[in-house]
Amino acid sequence: MKRIALVCPRYGTEVTEGSARYAKQLAEQLVKRYEVEVLTTKAIDDKTWRNWYARDRECVKGVNVRRFNTEREKALNLEAYTKTYLEECREDKRSIGVEKIWIEKQGPFAPDCIRYIIRHRQEYDVIIFVGYMNYLTVAGMPEAAQKAVLVPLIKEDSPYFQFLIFQQMFTMPGGFVFLTNEERMLVRKRFRTQGIPCEVMGTGADIPENIDEAAFFHKYHIRDRYILYCGRIDDEKDCPALIHYFTEYRRRNPEMRIKLVLMGEVCCRIPDHEDIIPVGYVSEQDKYNGIAGAELLVMPSQHENLPEALLSAMALGIPVLVNGACDALKEHCRKSNAGLYYENFFEFEGALNRILPDPELYEALSRNALMYVRKNYEWDVIIERFIQLINKAVE
């Protein structure tokens, strides 16, 4: 049996979003086939990287987890340091030394984890690094050499790609895993990765068995149909634009009895509006109950590479409405024929008025959503492809 190390900045049942969620899902699937050990930090949030977990080692849902202290928190002057260095890059004054300081400031700065990889790398057949822009990947990748598989999780083209450390790092792994074809094409364009095996595979949809949408309506006192946003409610996810579009939609379409339910941690202002229902952070069961009860799932973000909520909605037969400025989300709509996308308010309004009043169209979108997930995003399908890549990477 192959032995795999999975390296990621955060890991645990308490961390439920983004790359940390993906890492946990992946580890829990791989452990069914391999001996898996997660190498991570004791941090629970990526805003500070402050140590939170107490234990050095524990077993989380059958996965052995080894945690290392972050020796310092994310630098308070990171933004200013980055801005200054990007200006130097524009003048072609790039420096490995400056970039090494930058990635330490970015964090999570856990050099004991890197020392552990150096001492024990021969004990693993494959070392998977999740996320490209963190200290553990940048410092650990050179030590893993050809045993490394990189899951970069790139959302968009970035000025950081010109950094020397990334130009070097992206030539090192024995294989790549991309979540979208757009991500693969971007890496091929920006870095010298020709000849390195790669696979495009998304994240699987984990749906609980006992979905009870009626329980969600009852618990949150919802009496009308609703569209749902699920995720962190903040500016970075373009939630203010969604809220503005929705309130304008209700003003222009008073005959449509529809609510907007906002599910997730609130990090921006939500206006007091009778048709907007913020339910805050909810349990996993409530999340899936809420998705199942929605008419549509709406994703307003312009930058998204881990659309877990979108795939969960499709797995439940719920059509989606996404921001057309995000190529990855738009591509899901095109390939699945299970949703629409918008690039301005009038397209947002038109999409709602096209889908919501038309039962036949709604049923077709729902069927397409189910078929798309079953064909492409069942975990068994994804893991089989992952195994094939691992075998290529270690040949």
Side-chain angles (χ1 to χ4, degrees), residues 258-272:
I258 194 78
K259 306 290 187 185
L260 170 63
V261 173
L262 301 172
M263 180 186 291
E265 180 186 3
V266 178
C267 301
C268 69
R269 178 181 172 274
I270 300 175
D272 186 13

Side-chain angles (χ1 to χ4, degrees), residues 146 166-174 176 191-193 196:
Q146 289 302 304
F166 294 132
Q167 291 292 328
Q168 294 174 358
M169 189 187 78
F170 272 82
T171 67
M172 295 177 182
F176 285 103
F191 305 105
R192 296 174 182 173
T193 60
I196 300 177

